[in-house]
Amino acid sequence: MIVKKSALEIEKMAAAGAVLVATMRMLEGKIKPGVSTAELDVVAERFIRSQGAVPSFKGYRGFPGSICASPNSMIVHGIPGPYRLKRSDIISIDIGVTLDGWVADAARTFALTDASPEVANLLSATEQALFAGVEQCRVGNRVGDVSHAIQRVAEGAGLAVVRSLVGHGVGKDMHEDPQVPNFGQPGKGPVLEEGMVLAIEPMTTAGRAAVRVASDGWAIFSQDDSLAAHFEFTVAVTADGPRILTPWHLKDACEDPQPLPETATPGL
Ligand code: MG
């Protein structure tokens, strides 16, 4: 069942999204060689809670982290831990923020240093695929239009689209209907209506699409160990077109959040 949101509810989700964007921006400044993903997790959780919000992922089906931190060939669902980032790494950061009971969900893949042409293509094409999908989030379109737009851009850049992981509706629950695959046929699937809110999230690799699950039961890697990217927005379908509720791409997307207390950043 697809749960549509009122204009007021979409504003509440945008407020959660603003906390998420501030969190992503804060983490971006800390993604450097030598930092561990556990350290990123700690500062993210403290920041999110300092804003009166809750990290949505923590405890979700037993997930121990507040964010997902997935380096290199890890596509998604990395449990933060002792791994320390290296200069040559890329790292996908996925954040869920719950504020006043409403969830925002977004992800972004960062390169730690100047990217090789292969890495630059992986990141830029996956981000472009996300925006192509967002552009299709319009009243009267279908989920397949979103899926197809993502697939066309990603595969057009020579990337493989991961098929076993999909985008989803989002609202009071982190995972709602409908599923939003990153491949598909235009004109197929559920019709998009005003008030639907979708987490659009292309997941790609520079190799093949097959995945494997790590022994921790969470982390999902490319099976061929090729580099992977993950870019995600929470997007509302409105009468005025798509509205990105987690605009991490905009410099001045949200009001300045409350500053993080100095004591909240040990070791970073
Ligand atoms: Mg996500």
Side-chain angles (χ1 to χ4, degrees), residues 168-208:
H168 50 88
V170 57
K172 278 191 175 292
D173 291 321
M174 190 158 63
H175 292 134
E176 299 183 355
D177 290 337
Q179 291 196 346
V180 185
N182 295 305
F183 62 96
Q185 296 295 321
K188 303 285 189 186
V191 176
L192 301 183
E193 298 177 34
E194 185 177 352
M196 289 184 184
V197 182
L198 305 173
I200 308 293
E201 50 176 329
M203 290 157 272
T204 62
T205 81
R208 303 174 89 94

Side-chain angles (χ1 to χ4, degrees), residues 92-112:
S92 298
I93 301 291
D94 194 349
I95 305 173
V97 168
T98 304
L99 182 66
D100 295 335
W102 292 93
V103 179
D105 188 3
R108 185 174 185 182
T109 304
F110 299 90
L112 267 75

